[in-house]
Amino acid sequence: MIARARAIVKSQKVIVFSSLILLVLFIIMIFAPWLAPHDPTTVNLVHKLQPPSLDYPLGTDHLGRCTLSRILYGARVSLGFATLIFLSALGIGLIIGLIAGFKGGWIDQALMRFADGVMAFPSLLLVLGLVGIWGAGLRQVVLALIFVQWVYYARIIRGVVLSLKEQNYITAAKITGSSQWKIMTKHIIPNVLPPLAVMGTLEMGWAIMHLSSMSFLGLGVQPPTPEWGAMIHEGKSYIRTHPSLMIYPGLMIMLVVITFNLLGESLSERFGIKRR
């Protein structure tokens, strides 16, 4: 058992290393209230813009709030809501992709033409437009990102379903009287999972970047809630005197996005799946 685990680690170093980093980040996200040394929203102007110390390992911001605590709590928003966006978009895309690919005909045409209409707009501009219509706020940004994201999952899943429908074992299942539900759950969905795993890791980085971008523009997370993009926005006024206010959350965004991309690229090579 140990020898097999060592063989897996040796052959899939990038996948294992990326997975361990993400596991640590998700642990931080879950246990942030216990790991943070201070309340991330408590304002104390007496301690504003302090350098790193034992009490404040990463110093404090312009309002005297603990930078480390805000970064730890920021993981709950950045990672947590990015995961929510991914799971919601995946669920919608999976259902629509299965229906479009399996049913075909006018249903397929109607769903895919709507998806083409959404994909015709640059994703960031479409998100900005939707947030402009619905109003600023985290909920509106999350809904806008889900609306933009599901179409990519739907198209990939539809393509996989269309290719699987022509396989002999699907034809045999139909001849033996298997229901459509049984065919989809037993034969189609398991074959869709590998490309979904690759897309999920790649698109998680996309979701975090866009979520942070909206917060940086002041359209997403609103003060005093800690979030990495919002922290960069708050620290931009002090970029010359205290650049660490932008560097620390920026490094966290970079670490998470690069890790997800490395994992996605490694999984795509492992399963032989091309990126869209």
Side-chain angles (χ1 to χ4, degrees), residues 16-247:
V16 174
F17 181 69
S18 302
S19 300
L20 288 175
I21 293 177
L22 292 175
L23 177 62
V24 171
L25 290 171
F26 276 100
I27 291 175
I28 290 174
M29 178 190 76
I30 295 170
F31 295 101
W34 294 273
L35 296 174
H38 300 277
D39 188 325
T41 60
T42 299
V43 175
N44 189 347
L45 296 178
V46 176
H47 298 292
K48 70 176 183 178
L49 300 175
Q50 284 193 354
S53 62
L54 291 177
D55 198 21
Y56 298 101
L58 296 181
T60 60
D61 65 5
H62 60 294
L63 295 177
R65 298 172 298 191
C66 177
T67 302
L68 176 60
S69 300
R70 291 182 64 78
I71 286 178
L72 294 177
Y73 270 85
R76 310 193 86 185
V77 178
S78 298
L79 279 176
F81 280 95
T83 304
L84 174 63
I85 293 167
F86 160 65
L87 294 176
S88 301
L90 174 62
I92 297 171
L94 179 62
I95 294 172
I96 293 179
L98 286 173
I99 293 174
F102 201 81
K103 291 293 186 180
W106 68 268
I107 296 178
D108 178 31
Q109 290 296 319
L111 292 174
M112 289 303 101
R113 295 299 74 76
F114 178 74
D116 290 341
V118 175
M119 294 177 66
F121 297 91
S123 58
L124 184 58
L125 290 180
L126 183 56
V127 172
L128 285 171
L130 292 174
V131 173
I133 295 172
W134 297 338
L138 181 59
R139 182 178 64 179
Q140 290 85 336
V141 169
V142 169
L143 290 175
L145 290 173
I146 292 172
F147 179 81
V148 171
Q149 186 73 353
W150 71 266
V151 296
Y152 300 105
Y153 295 107
R155 291 196 67 85
I156 293 295
I157 294 168
R158 171 186 175 270
V160 175
V161 172
L162 288 176
S163 63
L164 290 175
K165 281 173 60 177
E166 306 301 323
Q167 300 297 320
N168 292 331
Y169 61 89
I170 298 294
T171 304
K174 292 179 180 178
I175 293 174
T176 57
S178 297
S179 64
Q180 293 183 354
W181 173 255
K182 185 176 181 180
I183 292 173
M184 284 193 290
T185 56
K186 186 176 180 180
H187 299 292
I188 293 180
I189 292 180
N191 289 285
V192 171
L193 293 180
L196 286 183
V198 174
M199 284 192 65
T201 52
L202 294 171
E203 299 299 335
M204 276 288 287
W206 177 93
I208 291 173
M209 285 290 293
H210 280 63
L211 190 62
S212 298
S213 299
M214 293 297 105
S215 296
F216 176 79
L217 295 173
L219 300 175
V221 175
Q222 301 299 310
T225 303
E227 193 273 337
W228 295 337
M231 291 177 66
I232 296 176
H233 171 75
E234 293 174 350
K236 72 180 188 299
S237 300
Y238 303 88
I239 187 171
R240 294 182 180 275
T241 57
H242 296 84
S244 60
L245 296 180
M246 296 183 67
I247 291 174

